[in-house]
Every structure is written in structure tokens, then in C-alpha cells.
Amino acid sequence: MGAILFLAVGIIAAGWWADLASPRRVLMAGCVMTALVGLALAPMMASGSLTVVGLFLCLALLVMGFVYGPLGAWLPSLFPARVRYTGTSMTFNLGGILGGGIAPVLAQSLAQSGGLPYVGAYLAGAALISLAALYPLRGRTAGVAVETPGP
């Protein structure tokens, strides 16, 4: 329960950083940090030490804040005003369905078949795929999307 406070700290820090730089840049940094956390998952969770496991959870939730925090500013900037609410809602909720539904089932299967290193590799791989998806969107996140006049 105490580790969840690190998520709050991560969200606040990510929001502050996104205001200074850009939400896309913070999201990309969060993806890199998530990949590193994925590599740390197996050794830290398998350590047998309650302290080390607690530190891992704090670290993982802190990093999650850097991915979750900037979404509120970044997602709406991807859509023109006439579809902004629908586009943002569908994107966020479909991502939640895929991440919240499929990921735990796949992680459980990986843990049973190959152990924690496979779960960590899955986390790192998902973070790298997210990073690759963010890269081509660089021109669209410089503030609010511009609405072009219609006929």
C-alpha cells in the first residue's frame, strides 16, 4: 500500500517535467525507464528479501507515473477538436482493456512456463514497442492540435 505513494510522486514529477519539456518526451523517457525496470524485475522479485521486493514495487510504480502522468495532456493533442473527446476516450480505454486484460494473463502464463525473467522481458519488450510507437508522433505533440478550416 505504501508503494502506491510512489505512483503519485511519479505522476506529479512527470506532469511538472512535461510542462517544462513536452509530454511526448516524458512518455518516451518513461518507456525507457520501464524497460530498465523490466530487466530489474526478476533479480529483485526473486531476491527473497521483503525489503528488496518493496523497493522494486516502489520503483515500478514511480516509473509507471512517468508513463501515466503525461497522458492527460498528450492524448488530446493528437486529435482535431471535432473528434478530440472520442479519440482520447477510445485510445485511453482500449489501451486499458489491452493492458489491463491481456497483460496479466500473458504475464501469468510466462511466469508459469519460464519464470520471472520472461515476465521482465515481456515488460521491457512492451515498453520498447511503446517507445517505437511514440517516435513517429513527434510532430503532433507541440501543444494543441490545430483545427483546419472546413469548406
Side-chain angles (χ1 to χ4, degrees):
M1 291 298 293
I4 198 73
L5 297 174
F6 285 81
L7 175 63
V9 169
I11 289 171
I12 292 167
W16 175 74
W17 186 17
D19 284 344
L20 293 176
S22 74
R24 177 182 164 267
R25 183 173 300 200
V26 177
L27 285 165
M28 292 177 81
C31 289
V32 171
M33 290 186 283
T34 300
L36 295 173
V37 165
L39 298 176
L41 185 142
M44 291 183 81
M45 292 295 283
S47 70
S49 166
L50 187 58
T51 302
V52 174
V53 169
L55 287 173
F56 174 78
L57 293 175
C58 292
L59 176 65
L61 287 169
L62 177 71
V63 168
M64 182 180 171
F66 279 88
V67 177
Y68 186 73
L71 285 178
W74 182 71
L75 283 178
S77 73
L78 297 177
F79 301 97
R82 62 184 170 74
V83 295
R84 186 168 293 147
Y85 189 78
T86 301
T88 300
S89 297
M90 288 185 66
T91 301
F92 185 80
N93 289 303
L94 286 174
I97 290 168
L98 292 174
I102 296 170
V105 173
L106 186 56
Q108 178 65 32
S109 177
L110 288 170
Q112 288 175 339
S113 64
L116 289 175
Y118 289 149
V119 178
Y122 167 68
L123 179 60
L128 293 176
I129 290 169
S130 297
L131 180 64
L134 283 165
Y135 183 75
L137 297 173
R138 64 180 154 209
R140 295 181 171 179
T141 59
V144 178
V146 177
E147 181 75 27
T148 55

